Amino acid sequence: MGIELTRAIDQVWSIGAGWSEPSVLTYGAGLDNEQVFETSYKVQLSQNFSVTGDFQYIKNPAANQSESAVSVIGVRAILTL
């Protein structure tokens, strides 16, 4: 679930949240539900080029059971030809 807000014609901010129940077959029994919170900001620098920054916070990550929470930062660039 999330929302997207347009600040200007060339800027978009989004925020979202979700959860999942880890599969017993994949990860084993006894894991807490995974919760994800994410926000991103997209800037259209030209008609054919945009950059998006992204931040994710994952609580009880099923794929990394040694951590109670992890944070992920990313940057994506899109060039349309």
Side-chain angles (χ1 to χ4, degrees), residues 3-76:
I3 60 170
E4 183 175 279
L5 302 170
T6 303
R7 284 191 54 190
I9 194 143
D10 58 350
Q11 299 176 23
V12 178
W13 176 60
S14 62
I15 188 167
W19 71 273
S20 66
E21 184 176 341
S23 168
V24 173
L25 296 175
T26 304
Y27 296 106
L31 291 180
D32 291 331
N33 289 341
E34 182 177 271
Q35 300 165 349
V36 179
F37 305 95
E38 180 176 13
T39 186
S40 66
Y41 193 77
K42 177 182 174 184
V43 178
Q44 191 75 38
L45 297 174
S46 72
Q47 181 178 354
N48 299 336
F49 186 69
S50 67
V51 176
T52 304
D54 182 74
F55 174 76
Q56 298 177 21
Y57 175 78
I58 305 166
K59 185 176 178 187
N60 302 322
N64 190 353
Q65 298 173 23
S66 63
E67 298 290 333
S68 62
V70 295
S71 298
V72 180
I73 297 174
V75 176
R76 172 180 56 214

